Amino acid sequence: MRYWLYKSEPGVYGIDHLERDGTTIWDGVRNYMARINLNAAAVGDLIFFYHSSANPPGVAGLAEVVETSVVDPLQFDPESKYFDPTSKPAEPRWITVRVKFVEKFPNFLPLDLLRRSFTPEELVTLRKGNRLSVTPVGDTTADRLLAMARA
DNA sequence: GCCAACGTTGGC
DNA sequence: GCCAACGTTGGC
């Protein structure tokens, strides 16, 4: 079982939306490096749900991968901003995962606390210039994040 | 709203 | 295959 950090803007889709919905397809990722990380996810992996472009930004809760190799439906939806006219239904370009709500953390972990608690090596999101929306989180870092979020 | 960082596109 | 222009992300 591995840990990941997924970013989403809470105004668009945040931890409260996931709690309401129960599960959701993690759609709209259109970055090849993020896609590699999405494809590497396995059922049972745990996801730190990060609120980006928020005030404050930070880690809000936990989700779990419940299905892999999910075809992102928005790539075939001409009305969607994530429509990809070069992707063919026979060989979809954008594959993602379905995740389920696990918990909203008792303690929201704001970005400034993350900066004070972890090095950029320990947490990819803290690395200068990193904007990747799907990144791996090491076990040790994950354990510390969980301890801080639930204490 | 600004802007740094960096991914993507397209002309050559 | 190079690289300038452009677009996007995301913190502030």
Side-chain angles (χ1 to χ4, degrees):
Chain A
M1 191 273 287
R2 303 178 64 181
Y3 292 95
W4 305 92
L5 183 147
Y6 288 12
K7 295 180 186 174
S8 183
E9 299 186 21
V12 177
Y13 198 92
I15 191 74
D16 291 333
H17 296 93
L18 183 59
E19 182 169 26
R20 178 197 66 198
D21 293 345
T23 78
T24 194
I25 293 175
W26 202 267
D27 55 22
V29 175
R30 294 290 179 273
N31 172 284
Y32 285 99
M33 268 194 284
R35 186 180 74 167
I36 288 168
N37 287 333
L38 281 175
N39 284 336
V43 171
D45 284 1
L46 294 175
I47 297 158
F48 290 96
F49 196 129
Y50 180 91
H51 284 177
S52 59
S53 298
N55 189 19
V59 174
L62 199 66
E64 181 180 344
V65 176
V66 291
E67 186 183 353
T68 58
S69 302
V70 176
V71 175
D72 183 337
L74 300 183
Q75 68 196 304
F76 302 125
D77 178 0
E79 302 298 310
S80 171
K81 68 186 256 197
Y82 298 111
F83 178 59
D84 183 348
T86 65
S87 183
K88 299 282 171 284
E91 25 177 345
R93 173 168 299 163
W94 303 105
I95 305 294
T96 185
V97 298
R98 177 178 290 278
V99 305
K100 77 169 181 187
F101 176 80
V102 175
E103 69 178 295
K104 184 174 176 176
F105 288 138
N107 306 321
F108 180 83
L109 303 176
L111 180 58
D112 65 343
L113 175 63
L114 298 178
R115 286 195 205 286
R116 281 184 271 117
S117 307
F118 297 93
T119 66
E121 288 71 31
E122 289 170 324
L123 199 56
V124 177
T125 292
L126 301 180
R127 290 179 202 166
K128 189 175 166 65
N130 188 282
R131 297 169 307 161
L132 206 55
S133 65
V134 179
T135 53
V137 177
D139 287 352
T140 307
T141 299
D143 289 344
R144 287 171 57 201
L145 284 167
L146 290 171
M148 290 162 64
R150 292 164 172 165

